[in-house]
Amino acid sequence: MPLDHYLTLGRSGLRVSPFALGAMTFGEDPGGAGSSVEESEKVLGTYLDRGGNFIDTANFYTNGHSEKILGDWFAAHPGQREHVVLASKFFGNLFPGDPNGGGAGRSSIIAQLHETLRRLQTDYLDVYWLHIWDRHTPIEETMRTLDDLVHAGKVRYIGFSNTPAWVTAQAQTTALLRDWTPLIALQVEYSLLARTVEGELAPLAQQQGMALVPWGPLKGGFLSGKYRRGAEVTDSARAAYVGGPSDHDFDVIDAVAAIADELETTSAAVALAWLLARPQTVVPIVGARRLEHLEANLAGLDVHLTTEQLRVLDEVSAPTLNYPAEMNGQRRATLQFGGTTVDGEPSTVYPALLASDIRY
């Protein structure tokens, strides 16, 4: 599947590439873990040349340098901006000492958007994401402000990231009841090593017609292929920050590597192909500090996993979900369907019913 085989983003008329390009690593400040301006521009240019059209950043990434790199590139290439889906996020406070410099209140959202548009050198965003839930601001205030920005023409579509399902459901219901702009997508951590989103957020998104836009689809490089059991990795910023993979992680990593060997491709490509095969619209965000990282990730578009390979990956990476997820899985079918198959879902008979024919 090429990058120019586009998908509709959630319940909207917005068409995006099957992989979004994440610009979190564009810029070398702070810390020096990102990419130089020159390398960032190579990555961006290659993605666009391959037919990609969905670019994701945030006001907080590299202290605003990510947005500025994108803005400078589009200013130097007239006519390109209008043909991409440019997304950024608000929440991050770039002004130490100012309690209103970040968050999701009306004043702070408007101020953050003003600065984002200035750095990006554009007068609108295609998608504006709430980066993290602001528990100190009523969700109605956030949603009404975003709706005002849509009506003002400064934002086209909106989405949430890193927000609890109950808050997301409240926001979406409020928007629908009050005829405000609804959410069309959720940006969430999702990978073979991070599947707890399947407990609440993924079902909510599917039911509401929202797309899932996963960040960290390679779990910070753990699924890239460079991690092998017993081998030392010295060039990983994530490992230096949070430590290396756990034993369970390595079970998943080994299974991914085995399938990659079968298909003569990379672990990264297999991990990304698994996300594309999920039973709803999923548009992974691929990041790249170097051009070769982008090329390796884009290979995932050409990988087609068999039913058996998907089963292996599903089983080895099966998550432990919070209550009440377990109650709504096979146990629900057992209690509800009495051993029959409904809508393609089989069930077993509740064990206590097998012990007696007595009904009261």
Side-chain angles (χ1 to χ4, degrees), residues 23 25-29 35-42 44 62 64-76 119-121:
T25 57
F26 283 17
E28 296 177 303
D29 45 329
S35 306
S36 67
V37 173
E38 180 182 15
E39 191 69 15
S40 299
E41 290 181 341
K42 286 181 182 178
L44 175 61
T62 57
H65 197 194
S66 172
E67 289 183 333
K68 186 177 187 304
I69 290 172
L70 291 170
D72 289 345
W73 193 92
F74 284 114
R119 286 188 289 267
L120 288 170
Q121 301 182 55

Coordinates of all heavy atoms in Angstrom, one line a residue, residues 23 25-29 35-42 44 62 64-76 119-121:
A23 N 6.8 14.8 13.8 CA 7.9 15.7 13.8 C 8.4 16.0 15.2 O 9.0 17.0 15.4 CB 7.4 17.0 13.1
T25 N 10.9 14.8 16.6 CA 12.3 14.8 16.7 C 12.9 15.9 15.8 O 14.1 15.9 15.6 CB 12.9 13.4 16.2 OG1 12.4 13.1 14.9 CG2 12.5 12.3 17.2
F26 N 12.1 16.7 15.2 CA 12.6 17.8 14.4 C 13.2 18.9 15.3 O 12.5 19.5 16.0 CB 11.5 18.4 13.5 CG 11.1 17.5 12.3 CD1 11.5 16.2 12.2 CD2 10.4 18.1 11.2 CE1 11.2 15.4 11.1 CE2 10.1 17.3 10.1 CZ 10.4 16.0 10.1
G27 N 14.5 19.1 15.2 CA 15.2 20.1 16.0 C 16.0 19.4 17.1 O 15.6 18.4 17.6
E28 N 17.1 20.1 17.5 CA 18.0 19.5 18.4 C 17.9 20.1 19.8 O 18.8 19.8 20.7 CB 19.5 19.7 17.9 CG 19.7 18.9 16.6 CD 21.1 19.1 16.0 OE1 21.4 20.3 15.8 OE2 21.8 18.1 15.8
D29 N 17.0 20.9 20.1 CA 16.8 21.4 21.4 C 15.4 21.0 22.0 O 14.4 21.0 21.2 CB 17.0 22.9 21.5 CG 16.2 23.6 20.4 OD1 16.0 23.0 19.3 OD2 15.7 24.8 20.6
S35 N 16.8 15.7 15.5 CA 17.5 15.8 14.2 C 17.8 17.3 13.9 O 17.2 18.2 14.3 CB 16.6 15.3 13.1 OG 16.1 14.0 13.4
S36 N 18.9 17.5 13.2 CA 19.3 18.8 12.7 C 18.2 19.3 11.7 O 17.4 18.6 11.2 CB 20.6 18.7 12.0 OG 20.5 18.0 10.8
V37 N 18.3 20.6 11.5 CA 17.3 21.2 10.5 C 17.5 20.5 9.2 O 16.5 20.2 8.5 CB 17.6 22.7 10.4 CG1 16.7 23.3 9.3 CG2 17.2 23.4 11.7
E38 N 18.7 20.3 8.7 CA 19.0 19.7 7.4 C 18.4 18.3 7.4 O 17.7 18.0 6.4 CB 20.5 19.7 7.2 CG 20.8 19.1 5.8 CD 22.3 19.0 5.6 OE1 23.1 19.1 6.6 OE2 22.8 18.8 4.5
E39 N 18.6 17.5 8.4 CA 18.1 16.1 8.4 C 16.6 16.1 8.4 O 15.9 15.3 7.8 CB 18.7 15.3 9.5 CG 18.5 13.8 9.4 CD 19.2 13.1 8.3 OE1 20.2 13.8 7.7 OE2 18.9 12.0 7.9
S40 N 16.0 17.0 9.3 CA 14.6 17.1 9.4 C 14.0 17.4 8.0 O 12.9 16.8 7.7 CB 14.2 18.1 10.4 OG 14.7 17.8 11.7
E41 N 14.6 18.3 7.3 CA 14.0 18.7 6.0 C 14.1 17.5 5.0 O 13.3 17.4 4.1 CB 14.7 19.9 5.5 CG 14.4 21.2 6.3 CD 15.1 22.4 5.8 OE1 16.1 22.3 5.1 OE2 14.6 23.6 6.1
K42 N 15.2 16.7 5.1 CA 15.3 15.6 4.2 C 14.2 14.6 4.5 O 13.6 14.0 3.6 CB 16.7 14.9 4.4 CG 17.9 15.6 3.8 CD 19.1 14.8 4.1 CE 20.4 15.5 3.6 NZ 21.6 14.7 3.9
L44 N 11.2 15.2 5.9 CA 10.0 15.8 5.5 C 9.8 15.7 3.9 O 8.8 15.3 3.4 CB 9.9 17.2 6.0 CG 8.7 18.1 5.5 CD1 7.4 17.4 6.0 CD2 8.8 19.5 6.0
T62 N 10.5 20.0 21.0 CA 11.8 20.7 20.9 C 11.6 22.2 21.1 O 12.2 23.1 20.4 CB 12.6 20.5 19.5 OG1 11.7 20.8 18.4 CG2 13.0 19.0 19.4
G64 N 9.3 24.3 20.6 CA 8.8 25.0 19.5 C 9.6 25.0 18.2 O 9.1 25.4 17.2
H65 N 10.8 24.4 18.3 CA 11.6 24.4 17.1 C 11.0 23.5 16.0 O 11.2 23.7 14.8 CB 13.0 23.9 17.5 CG 14.0 24.2 16.4 ND1 15.3 23.7 16.4 CD2 14.0 25.0 15.3 CE1 16.0 24.1 15.4 NE2 15.2 24.9 14.7
S66 N 10.3 22.4 16.4 CA 9.7 21.5 15.5 C 8.8 22.3 14.6 O 8.8 22.2 13.3 CB 9.0 20.4 16.2 OG 8.2 19.6 15.3
E67 N 7.9 23.0 15.2 CA 6.9 23.8 14.4 C 7.6 24.8 13.5 O 7.2 25.0 12.3 CB 6.0 24.6 15.3 CG 5.0 23.6 16.0 CD 4.0 24.4 16.9 OE1 4.3 25.5 17.4 OE2 2.8 23.9 17.1
K68 N 8.7 25.5 14.0 CA 9.4 26.5 13.2 C 10.1 25.8 12.0 O 10.1 26.4 10.9 CB 10.4 27.2 14.1 CG 11.1 28.3 13.3 CD 12.1 29.1 14.2 CE 12.6 30.3 13.4 NZ 13.2 30.0 12.1
I69 N 10.7 24.6 12.2 CA 11.3 23.9 11.0 C 10.2 23.7 10.0 O 10.5 23.9 8.8 CB 12.0 22.6 11.5 CG1 13.2 23.0 12.4 CG2 12.3 21.8 10.3 CD1 13.8 21.7 13.0
L70 N 9.1 23.2 10.4 CA 8.0 22.9 9.4 C 7.6 24.2 8.7 O 7.4 24.3 7.5 CB 6.8 22.3 10.1 CG 7.0 20.8 10.6 CD1 5.9 20.4 11.5 CD2 7.2 19.9 9.4
G71 N 7.4 25.3 9.5 CA 7.0 26.6 8.9 C 7.9 27.1 8.0 O 7.6 27.6 6.9
D72 N 9.2 27.1 8.3 CA 10.3 27.6 7.4 C 10.3 26.7 6.1 O 10.5 27.3 5.0 CB 11.6 27.5 8.1 CG 11.8 28.5 9.2 OD1 11.0 29.5 9.3 OD2 12.7 28.4 10.0
W73 N 10.1 25.4 6.2 CA 10.2 24.6 5.0 C 9.0 24.9 4.1 O 9.2 25.1 2.9 CB 10.1 23.1 5.4 CG 10.4 22.2 4.2 CD1 11.7 21.7 3.9 CD2 9.5 21.7 3.2 NE1 11.6 20.9 2.8 CE2 10.3 20.9 2.4 CE3 8.2 21.8 3.0 CZ2 9.7 20.2 1.3 CZ3 7.6 21.2 1.9 CH2 8.3 20.4 1.1
F74 N 7.8 25.0 4.6 CA 6.7 25.4 3.8 C 6.8 26.8 3.2 O 6.3 27.0 2.1 CB 5.4 25.2 4.5 CG 5.0 23.7 4.7 CD1 4.9 23.1 6.0 CD2 4.6 22.9 3.6 CE1 4.6 21.8 6.1 CE2 4.3 21.6 3.8 CZ 4.3 21.0 5.0
A75 N 7.3 27.7 4.0 CA 7.5 29.1 3.4 C 8.5 29.0 2.2 O 8.3 29.9 1.3 CB 8.0 30.0 4.5
A76 N 9.4 28.1 2.3 CA 10.4 28.0 1.2 C 9.9 27.2 0.0 O 10.6 27.2 -1.0 CB 11.7 27.4 1.7
R119 N 4.6 30.2 14.3 CA 5.8 29.4 14.0 C 5.7 28.6 12.7 O 6.6 28.4 12.0 CB 6.1 28.5 15.2 CG 6.7 29.1 16.4 CD 7.1 28.1 17.5 NE 6.0 27.5 18.1 CZ 5.5 27.9 19.3 NH1 5.9 29.0 19.9 NH2 4.4 27.2 19.8
L120 N 4.5 28.1 12.5 CA 4.2 27.3 11.3 C 4.0 28.2 10.1 O 3.9 27.6 8.9 CB 3.0 26.4 11.5 CG 3.2 25.2 12.5 CD1 1.8 24.6 12.8 CD2 4.1 24.2 11.9
Q121 N 3.9 29.5 10.3 CA 3.7 30.4 9.1 C 2.5 30.1 8.3 O 2.5 30.0 7.1 CB 4.9 30.5 8.3 CG 6.2 31.0 9.1 CD 7.4 31.1 8.2 OE1 7.4 31.8 7.2 NE2 8.5 30.5 8.6

